[in-house]
Amino acid sequence: YVLDEPSIGLHPRDNKRLIQTLQSLKDIGNTVIVVEHDLNTIESADQIIDMGPKAGANGGEVVFSGTLKQILSNKKTLTGEYLSGKKYIPLPDYRTVTFDHFTIQGAQGNNLKNIDVSFPYDRLIAVTGVSGSGKSSLINQTLYPALSNLVNLGVKDTLPFTNLLRADRVERVINVDQKPIGKTPRSNPATYTGIFTHIRDLFAQIREAKLRGYKLGRFSFNVKGGRCEKCQGAGIIKIEMNFLPDVYVNCEDCNGKRYNIETLQIEYKGLNIADVLALSVDEARIFFKNIFSIKKRLDTLHDVGLGYIKLGQQATTLSGGEAQRIKLSTELSKNNTKNTVYFLDEPTTGLHVDDIQMLMSVLQKLVNEGNTVIVIEHNLDVVKCADWIIDLGPEGGEGGGELVAEGTVLEIAKNKKSTTGQFLKKV
């Protein structure tokens, strides 16, 4: 049996049951291979294979292969350091939670039991509960569209509710999901974050470019003039296959570089525009260290743990977690983002514990700048770092939809009615 992150979307209580099921499969004579980041699942394995040492071009090696006992004493593996407790996500300095909040009243869609829930401003809020307890119904299908309609004068469909109170401070509503940053290979991190506009402007200022009359558009692969016309600036050619998914192959004319020969003759510090797109974020940070408008955005990508991705990497090759962190970095690079409410649904999906630590630092930065971050999450490392927890349940389906508990981490951990609180006691 091969499973890819089976713990996604599972509460720690349900995850424990999953591990027992996997072990029972093994006990009756099967081999179970699990791709997983969850430390409890890793600890339950008979053999651990750790890949790395890092991501992207810096990964692809078997860093460790052996038992739990062996990995705990291995100093070369990042996973082992978190398993042994040498590395961990620390508890933050808790903020005082004030009574300045907005409230959704009478939420009654799906299995929600006509509940009133308040959300403190300028805080990191974790919405927890067992699978099927009503988290998505409350946040994704009620609060988010209701706030969005209020702020953006929209008409998003919402589940039934009675009132939305004291939301006058909210100026922007952003849903930071794990959807791709673009639906075609033409999209990439440089274009999505706005970095590419500054890079094209830099190339247009080069003396040789000015002598040739090249403007900003010359260095875009989306318009005629500087791009390779055979692939229309995509760098790849799509071959449609009957009854099979489309296949992409490198363009023979430009060899995947997207541009024509004349455009590639313009160089900045020895690199042409295609060479720049082939740089990783960390390489580009060094290359553009003296160009503030570019380096600022590259620094935010580095801060969210994406130093290894290429500037021109096709959006379709990025994982959901990578796409989400690109969106977060774009928000971080903006000025004056106060009074924004950010929504995230299980942002730890596909993330190693070390990546989660970077993610938490990003979310804390957004809160420190005067924003409210609402996260639906099962991961206890995220939940324990929240300023305020809203716990739904007590069970899933018809047995859920109630507000079981709300408060700080310590208050939830002491609440005997909260299943989440019982697991928080152990972290």
Side-chain angles (χ1 to χ4, degrees), residues 10 70 85 88 91 104 179 191 286 389 396 427:
L10 294 186
Q70 290 169 330
Y88 60 93
L91 286 167
I104 189 100
K179 292 179 181 176
T191 55
I286 298 170
I389 298 172
V427 292

Side-chain angles (χ1 to χ4, degrees), residues 185-241:
R186 192 175 290 275
S187 303
N188 58 57
T191 55
Y192 185 87
T193 57
I195 292 171
F196 199 45
T197 301
H198 296 282
I199 292 173
R200 290 191 296 119
D201 184 52
L202 179 65
F203 271 84
Q205 299 302 317
I206 294 170
R207 185 171 179 272
E208 180 65 23
K210 287 183 175 181
L211 289 173
R212 296 188 184 191
Y214 292 170
K215 305 295 183 185
L216 197 67
R218 178 80 195 196
F219 300 97
S220 170
F221 49 75
N222 287 321
V223 296
K224 289 182 178 180
R227 71 183 184 183
C228 167
E229 284 306 319
K230 178 160 186 179
C231 62
Q232 295 186 327
I236 52 179
I237 303 289
K238 181 170 80 170
I239 301 174
E240 294 183 358
M241 307 285 285

Side-chain angles (χ1 to χ4, degrees), residues 300-370:
T300 58
L301 282 170
H302 171 80
D303 291 343
V304 298
L306 294 177
Y308 61 90
I309 65 171
K310 305 287 186 183
L311 295 185
Q313 187 169 334
Q314 297 165 12
T316 51
T317 66
L318 296 165
S319 70
E322 288 168 337
Q324 188 171 47
R325 283 184 285 166
I326 288 173
K327 294 173 185 178
L328 283 170
S329 77
T330 305
E331 286 298 318
L332 276 176
S333 65
K334 293 177 180 177
N335 296 322
N336 303 318
T337 60
K338 283 187 176 182
N339 300 322
T340 299
V341 179
Y342 293 96
F343 290 88
L344 296 94
D345 191 349
E346 299 205 53
T348 59
T349 299
L351 297 189
H352 187 274
V353 192
D354 206 51
D355 296 321
I356 293 174
Q357 184 155 15
M358 293 179 186
L359 172 71
M360 293 314 300
S361 68
V362 173
L363 298 184
Q364 296 289 0
K365 280 182 184 178
L366 288 172
V367 172
N368 292 341
E369 290 174 2

Side-chain angles (χ1 to χ4, degrees), residues 11-13 127-130 133 135 377-378 380 383 389-392 394 404 409 412-413 415 417-427:
H11 189 274
R13 185 196 71 176
V127 181
T128 62
V130 298
S133 59
K135 301 183 296 298
E377 191 54 79
H378 293 294
L380 293 177
V383 177
I389 298 172
I390 294 165
D391 194 40
L392 301 181
V404 175
V409 173
I412 299 298
N415 192 313
K417 294 180 181 178
S418 170
T419 304
T420 304
Q422 304 312 305
F423 284 92
L424 278 173
K425 285 180 181 179
K426 303 171 185 176
V427 292

